[in-house]
Amino acid sequence: MDNEISTQPHGMEDVEIQEWLESLDSVLESSGPEVAAEILERLRAHATVNGIDLPFTANTPYANTIPPRLEPLFPGDQELERRIKSLIRWNALAMVVRANRVEHNIGGHISTYASAATLYEVGFNHFFRARSEEFEGDTVYFQGHASPGMYARAFLEGRLSAQKLENFRRELKPGGGLSSYPHPWLMPDFWEFPTVSMGLSPLMAIYQARFNRYLEDRGLKPATDAKVWAYLGDGETDEPESLGAITLASREKLDNLIFVINCNLQRLDGPVRGNGQIIQELESAFRGARWNVIKVLWGSEWDPIFERDTEGLLVKRMGELVDGEYQKLVVSSGAYVREHFFGSDPRLLKLVEPMSDDSLRRLRLGGHDPRKVYAAYKAAVDHKGSPTVILARTIKGYGLGEAGEGKNVTHQQKKLNEDELREFRSRFGIPLNDEDCIEVPFYRPSEDSVEIQYLRARREALGGYVPKRSVRSKPLVADHDELFKEFHEGSEGREVSTTMAFVGMLRKMLKDAEIGKLIVPIVPDEARTFGMESLFRTVGIYSSVGQKYEPVDVNTLLYYKEAKDGQILEEGITEAGSMASFIAAGSAFATHGINTIPFFIYYSMFGFQRIADFIWAAADMRTRGFLLGGTAGRTTLSGEGLQHQDGNSHVLALPVPNIKAYDPAFAYEIAVIIQDGIRRMYKDGENVFYYITVMNEPYAMPAMPGDVKDGILRGMYRFRPAANAKSKLRAQLFGSGAILNEALRAQEILETKYGVAADVWSVTSYKELYNDGSETERWNRLHPGEKARLPYVTKCLGDASGVLVAASDYLKTLPNMISKWMPRRLASLGTDGFGRSEGRTSLREFFEVDSRFITLATLHELLADGKIERSVVDKAIKDLGINADKPNPVIS
Ligand SMILES: Cc1ncc(C[n+]2csc(CCOP(=O)(O)OP(=O)(O)O)c2C)c(N)n1
Ligand SMILES: [Mg+2]
């Protein structure tokens, strides 16, 4: 392995090694670690110059990073903290066991918190500073599956009642319960960050730490030494997102960020790296990324053994074992440890000769030793210049004994038998007798007990309780009518895309007295695609170090300006990272009490399709802001083909309950949606956020036709009625986004060539229409005795005569899902299928959504209603140049 300390190669004498080690020790003693490090560095250089091929290693030996002599004094009452921790262990376990006795299979996790208890308790007692009037507070991402431990602590703190604990995972019980995992949506006064979809929280934490710096550099909050702590599982680091942004953290020198990885060497099914060493693997990844890595592997009981080992044999032996062997060792007897671990070398055996088998079994791992954990945390918070990761070794299911300690099944363990319960009770000294114990009651010592007093005093000293979510931002006050009015006017014939229109609005918003400084434009290397490069110069690109170079285009008007107070977050090619920034900015109203308004603009295909789980987490977190799906529409973006042309995102937005999804066609529609969105989110404090698709097809933007604001926001309004409403042949055409123009063209063809008078509607949001329809239906079902309400769609179409045809640049399922609230049958045209690399006109023909196909669909509906002859349709197919035998776009 990388970390092996090689001794005795090529017959080298022990004594030679010994001499080298001794001389290093004496340098260390007389001149200190810096000088010792310097000598080693010089030796390494000297060796290289002399042709010695030193193997590359990003690893340090399999030992604690902080030697005992550099450990600070533990400032707490260790015995009292152990007792408090034991009580939390008990209540966390009781919560899961009780819940599963009442409702079989309700689930919950015991072994994750059991392994992480010390890691959290040292944090709670000594490090996590709460938010207060004076201090912004530390931010903590708790590992999702450890939630029972956080609830159990809040119970001791008097923040959660026994009834709430009783209803763990039973949130619908009278009096309410506790959500399985950290979900701000479900527990908005408690949880801040959803962490249980593994891999999301490490990435979110990195961008949170960076966003904190952004707020400071832009003068939106004072600079503080607040930290972002993220607790992860070692198995969780398998997720690519977990390590995906670690170089950003070191590049940005985020010494306000601390990862604590609970290395219990196990995940759900079994060992994380049975045949390797996850800790060494993570160390090399993080060191390679220039993080400050602190390994906390061995508890204090090991210190004297290491001290006796003057030859470095113990650390060498430790580096030899693979995790599968380690997992076996921690559940084995002292005799087994002696034989199989120390027994590999008589000199090692000698090191532990004075120790009994029992004391060998009791050798703790570092992550279970508060002194070692404290030392690591202290070093982490004091560290300057880079983020820190603490790799703490623990045992999964610590303390569960036969019920699961270190066993492969332990993750799923939810029930304990009577003996196992008694055993656990005794091991942690819970004052319950044999009989009471098997009932697994929650146990909280009296308010005036030393434990509760101590725990409260510690939290008071740290400013209050954690976790705790609160909304502290003040609502905006302006109505911003002036700002958006200009966009209601239309472009007076000038052809612009909705993206250009949006960028115009963004530019204006950035200048606004109230919201200007709060806007956070976020782009994943796509600003030029969306015509946003003019903003580079005007508001600058955020860079924590300013601009150390003269940009190549400095002589141009729109040069690439990076600045320490730059406003744009140019994230590079990472939609996930950009989304994490969106989340940090969009939740700052709670995290920091600052109403930052993020606008994340991206290639729409790489949004919901690629990072939907982050969007779901944002929704859970009550994030506010605007997602802008640029270059949207399956046929509106020409040439790009199957991977870029998005006909999916409005369907994929459907499941996110609090996102409002709009597919506007015109500039004034966007203006109305954004203005109202800012009001709802930042004035009225609604927990919604927005998805708006914008396109790159230029066309003349019309002026707003009367007061259609309400219709725009509710999802549809009549944009252009038929010239001759009295005509015998009538139709209603529904268009969205850029396809609205096709509907308008069809309106003309129908009128001039076929005598059909069609009204054209702009459907801005099928999602809004669907939600309204479902809610109305539901209300009627629940109130059968009252006058039935009508869905908005039904009301709109109350006096609308003729056949119904819808066309959008998205799947047909969107119009289909609201058709049941329409007065008559609906013909739907959409863009289901892979598509092609092609131009707009050909793509619209291919997908059968252009004006000709809308015309045909209308005529066909009229035929079905017996209003026209078949010959008219036959002729139309010919006249419109439609190939009836063309391939089906859905599957070709
Ligand atoms: C993205 C995702 N995939 C799968 C799961 C299911 N899951 C929950 S916990 C777990 C194992 C966790 O192992 P580890 O990260 O090592 O945490 P430990 O409990 O060992 O501390 C898995 C697979 C999940 N929560 N999220
Ligand atoms: Mg694990």
Side-chain angles (χ1 to χ4, degrees):
M1 301 221 61
D2 270 0
N3 56 321
E4 281 180 25
I5 301 248
S6 51
T7 56
Q8 295 170 293
H10 314 300
M12 196 198 291
E13 290 298 323
D14 272 358
V15 57
E16 227 172 305
I17 297 251
Q18 201 57 36
E19 275 169 16
W20 277 86
L21 292 175
E22 275 166 19
S23 49
L24 188 68
D25 282 348
S26 88
V27 172
L28 201 54
E29 209 161 289
S30 58
S31 311
E34 280 89 25
V35 177
E38 170 73 22
I39 291 175
L40 287 174
E41 206 39 60
R42 295 273 282 277
L43 274 177
R44 173 179 278 276
H46 192 71
T48 309
V49 170
N50 286 287
I52 300 173
D53 185 16
L54 291 171
F56 167 77
T57 175
N59 278 119
T60 62
Y62 203 83
N64 291 345
T65 305
I66 302 173
R69 68 187 165 79
L70 294 183
E71 269 173 33
L73 225 55
F74 185 80
D77 180 331
Q78 213 176 318
E79 172 51 23
L80 204 45
E81 289 188 19
R82 191 189 62 78
R83 266 163 41 210
I84 294 167
K85 184 167 60 190
S86 296
L87 294 173
I88 297 173
R89 286 182 185 284
W90 173 262
N91 287 311
L93 172 131
M95 201 179 316
V96 178
V97 173
R98 288 179 77 84
N100 284 277
R101 278 187 185 174
V102 179
E103 179 88 8
H104 180 62
N105 270 344
I106 195 84
H109 299 83
I110 297 173
S111 57
T112 298
Y113 180 72
S115 71
T118 302
L119 302 178
Y120 284 113
E121 278 305 289
V122 173
F124 278 117
N125 284 322
H126 302 284
F127 290 94
F128 305 156
R129 293 162 298 175
R131 298 214 167 90
S132 64
E133 290 296 313
E134 302 81 48
F135 179 62
E136 65 170 310
D138 295 323
T139 307
V140 189
Y141 291 74
F142 296 97
Q143 198 187 348
H145 298 83
S147 61
M150 309 313 130
Y151 293 142
R153 173 166 248 275
F155 168 63
L156 288 194
E157 290 167 343
R159 298 202 293 147
L160 292 176
S161 67
Q163 191 201 10
K164 287 268 189 199
L165 264 62
E166 186 72 25
N167 292 340
F168 174 55
R169 292 187 165 229
R170 304 297 306 276
E171 296 192 274
L172 300 178
K173 283 271 182 195
L178 298 173
S179 65
S180 51
Y181 304 115
H183 292 304
W185 188 262
L186 302 175
M187 294 176 64
D189 302 328
F190 194 85
W191 293 118
E192 293 180 286
F193 306 103
T195 51
V196 80
S197 178
M198 293 191 304
L200 302 196
S201 74
L203 194 115
M204 289 197 291
I206 290 173
Y207 282 86
Q208 178 73 58
R210 206 276 302 254
F211 186 70
N212 294 358
R213 289 279 164 81
Y214 168 90
L215 289 177
E216 290 170 6
D217 288 339
R218 286 199 49 227
L220 290 170
K221 82 170 183 69
T224 72
D225 69 344
K227 304 288 180 199
V228 175
W229 296 78
Y231 283 78
L232 329 176
D234 49 358
E236 180 168 12
T237 62
D238 288 340
E239 290 286 0
E241 291 90 346
S242 298
L243 304 186
I246 60 173
T247 52
L248 172 93
S250 44
R251 188 162 64 246
E252 291 293 316
K253 302 191 171 39
L254 297 178
D255 51 20
N256 58 343
L257 177 67
I258 301 167
F259 274 14
V260 180
I261 308 188
N262 178 14
C263 297
N264 53 28
L265 314 187
Q266 288 181 245
R267 48 189 174 202
L268 192 151
D269 284 340
V272 180
R273 296 284 184 275
N275 294 311
Q277 295 178 323
I278 184 64
I279 290 177
Q280 297 301 89
E281 184 179 322
L282 290 174
E283 177 184 44
S284 63
F286 279 96
R287 271 169 62 98
R290 305 212 157 272
W291 281 50
N292 175 37
V293 179
I294 303 176
K295 292 195 289 193
V296 186
L297 308 187
W298 312 109
S300 305
E301 297 81 2
W302 286 89
D303 291 342
I305 314 179
F306 276 107
E307 209 162 300
R308 290 199 287 275
D309 173 33
T310 51
E311 297 173 86
L313 293 172
L314 183 55
V315 88
K316 174 178 181 290
R317 174 71 180 135
M318 282 166 164
E320 284 169 359
L321 264 58
V322 293
D323 287 355
E325 292 172 296
Y326 269 129
Q327 192 188 346
K328 178 104 189 275
L329 278 176
V330 297
V331 298
S332 301
S333 68
Y336 184 94
V337 174
R338 191 185 302 277
E339 183 186 342
H340 289 89
F341 180 74
F342 294 100
S344 66
D345 186 319
R347 292 170 297 179
L348 279 176
L349 270 179
K350 196 144 187 63
L351 289 177
V352 291
E353 209 171 47
M355 298 175 71
S356 68
D357 283 354
D358 198 43
S359 53
L360 283 189
R361 202 180 57 81
R362 285 169 189 280
L363 287 170
R364 267 179 315 174
L365 296 180
H368 295 301
D369 183 340
R371 277 160 55 189
K372 300 286 184 201
V373 173
Y374 179 84
Y377 285 9
K378 180 85 176 53
V381 298
D382 290 346
H383 179 76
K384 294 272 176 288
S386 59
T388 293
V389 59
I390 292 165
L391 303 171
R393 250 202 83 176
T394 64
I395 299 172
K396 190 148 178 167
Y398 184 72
L400 290 179
E402 279 308 300
E405 184 167 277
K407 297 195 169 155
N408 277 336
V409 295
T410 193
H411 191 84
Q412 305 293 72
Q413 185 63 293
K414 319 211 179 290
K415 291 182 178 169
L416 271 73
N417 66 31
E418 296 183 1
D419 285 342
E420 290 162 347
L421 281 171
R422 288 198 197 97
E423 175 78 22
F424 190 88
R425 180 267 335 249
S426 304
R427 174 158 182 183
F428 293 108
I430 310 300
L432 291 171
N433 66 32
D434 279 5
E435 252 165 69
D436 291 348
C437 160
I438 58 176
E439 297 300 323
V440 228
F442 297 122
Y443 180 81
R444 182 173 189 265
S446 67
E447 197 59 40
D448 55 6
S449 63
V450 281
E451 289 90 349
I452 300 296
Q453 292 291 315
Y454 182 90
L455 168 137
R456 281 195 188 283
R458 286 313 309 147
R459 287 315 315 165
E460 238 161 69
L462 290 161
Y465 294 107
V466 173
K468 187 166 185 272
R469 181 181 178 278
S470 60
V471 176
R472 289 157 304 115
S473 64
K474 301 247 176 341
L476 298 182
V477 290
D479 59 22
H480 308 111
D481 278 345
E482 277 308 308
L483 198 164
F484 291 100
K485 219 171 67 188
E486 152 190 351
F487 301 96
H488 299 172
E489 312 293 325
S491 62
E492 291 170 344
R494 204 163 50 90
E495 296 201 331
V496 292
S497 67
T498 48
T499 306
M500 286 162 75
F502 160 72
V503 173
M505 282 172 227
L506 182 61
R507 208 176 289 130
K508 243 187 131 184
M509 283 187 276
L510 284 162
K511 291 196 187 117
D512 183 81
E514 185 182 45
I515 59 172
K517 60 183 181 311
L518 298 172
I519 304 285
V520 182
I522 304 169
V523 283
D525 196 29
E526 216 71 76
R528 290 180 203 280
T529 314
F530 305 124
M532 289 169 70
E533 62 269 42
S534 66
L535 297 179
F536 290 169
R537 173 72 189 277
T538 48
V539 295
I541 295 164
Y542 172 68
S543 154
S544 56
V545 294
Q547 192 154 32
K548 295 179 173 177
Y549 61 98
E550 182 176 282
V552 64
D553 51 3
V554 71
N555 295 324
T556 65
L557 200 61
L558 307 177
Y559 77 90
Y560 196 83
K561 178 181 156 201
E562 299 197 58
K564 188 149 177 161
D565 62 352
Q567 194 158 355
I568 300 171
L569 287 173
E570 162 65 88
E571 300 294 14
I573 311 165
T574 167
E575 283 74 16
S578 304
M579 190 61 205
S581 278
F582 178 85
I583 291 172
S587 58
F589 68 95
T591 321
H592 296 289
I594 301 170
N595 279 320
T596 36
I597 308 172
F599 285 85
F600 169 24
I601 178 159
Y602 56 89
Y603 243 115
S604 73
M605 194 66 158
F606 304 130
F608 282 89
Q609 180 141 315
R610 186 176 182 117
I611 49 159
D613 209 17
F614 277 103
I615 297 176
W616 185 255
D620 186 348
M621 258 176 90
R622 300 161 177 257
T623 304
R624 297 171 185 167
F626 297 90
L627 299 173
L628 276 299
T631 55
R634 183 103 69 204
T635 68
T636 305
L637 175 62
S638 57
E640 290 286 352
L642 164 162
Q643 183 58 71
H644 288 66
Q645 292 159 343
D646 168 34
N648 309 348
S649 63
H650 279 288
V651 177
L652 300 176
L654 290 174
V656 183
N658 52 347
I659 204 161
K660 303 204 153 276
Y662 287 95
D663 182 14
F666 301 130
Y668 67 81
E669 293 180 348
I670 300 177
V672 168
I673 295 162
I674 292 181
Q675 184 184 355
D676 195 59
I678 290 175
R679 176 191 64 78
R680 290 182 71 160
M681 294 186 285
Y682 294 95
K683 240 176 135 174
D684 299 349
E686 281 191 53
N687 292 301
V688 292
F689 63 131
Y690 283 73
Y691 177 55
I692 304 172
T693 39
V694 286
M695 281 79 64
N696 64 346
E697 181 176 358
Y699 44 84
M701 292 292 152
M704 184 154 69
D707 189 6
V708 291
K709 285 186 188 171
D710 186 55
I712 294 171
L713 297 172
R714 297 182 74 173
M716 70 188 283
Y717 66 95
R718 200 183 325 239
F719 172 71
R720 193 163 82 190
N724 174 18
K726 299 243 156 50
S727 168
K728 271 212 303 223
L729 298 178
R730 290 284 281 130
Q732 306 295 323
L733 308 181
F734 309 102
S736 306
I739 300 300
L740 180 56
N741 286 320
E742 296 293 335
L744 289 168
R745 275 190 279 277
Q747 182 187 39
E748 280 170 34
I749 301 172
L750 283 162
E751 186 181 331
T752 53
K753 295 222 170 113
Y754 303 97
V756 180
D759 296 350
V760 174
W761 299 73
S762 173
V763 179
T764 50
S765 176
Y766 280 108
K767 187 172 191 235
E768 285 296 299
L769 298 176
Y770 176 71
N771 285 346
D772 168 80
S774 314
E775 166 52 12
T776 312
E777 218 172 50
R778 171 181 172 272
W779 191 90
N780 291 341
R781 192 182 311 124
L782 293 170
H783 303 87
E786 301 195 41
K787 186 162 177 277
R789 293 176 177 174
L790 291 179
Y792 176 69
V793 177
T794 314
K795 274 195 249 171
C796 282
L797 300 179
D799 64 351
S801 54
V803 297
L804 311 175
V805 176
S808 85
D809 227 359
Y810 294 85
L811 304 191
K812 297 181 194 95
T813 193
L814 288 177
N816 285 346
M817 73 187 181
I818 62 157
S819 66
K820 61 175 170 169
W821 300 304
M822 291 185 164
R824 292 172 296 283
R825 192 182 63 242
L826 173 73
S828 299
L829 304 179
T831 58
D832 309 42
F834 279 127
R836 295 287 187 277
S837 304
E838 253 299 355
R840 278 182 198 121
T841 309
S842 304
L843 279 171
R844 288 179 183 161
E845 175 176 18
F846 175 79
F847 278 110
E848 302 162 16
V849 293
D850 65 12
S851 57
R852 299 170 311 143
F853 279 90
I854 297 172
T855 303
L856 173 60
T858 309
L859 296 175
H860 188 260
E861 289 301 299
L862 287 166
L863 168 65
D865 280 359
K867 302 271 186 190
I868 56 173
E869 299 292 322
R870 212 196 81 196
S871 58
V872 179
V873 183
D874 284 343
K875 185 164 179 320
I877 291 179
K878 220 180 268 153
D879 292 349
L880 294 166
I882 288 172
N883 171 10
D885 298 315
K886 71 187 274 297
N888 178 1
V890 177
I891 48 155
S892 66

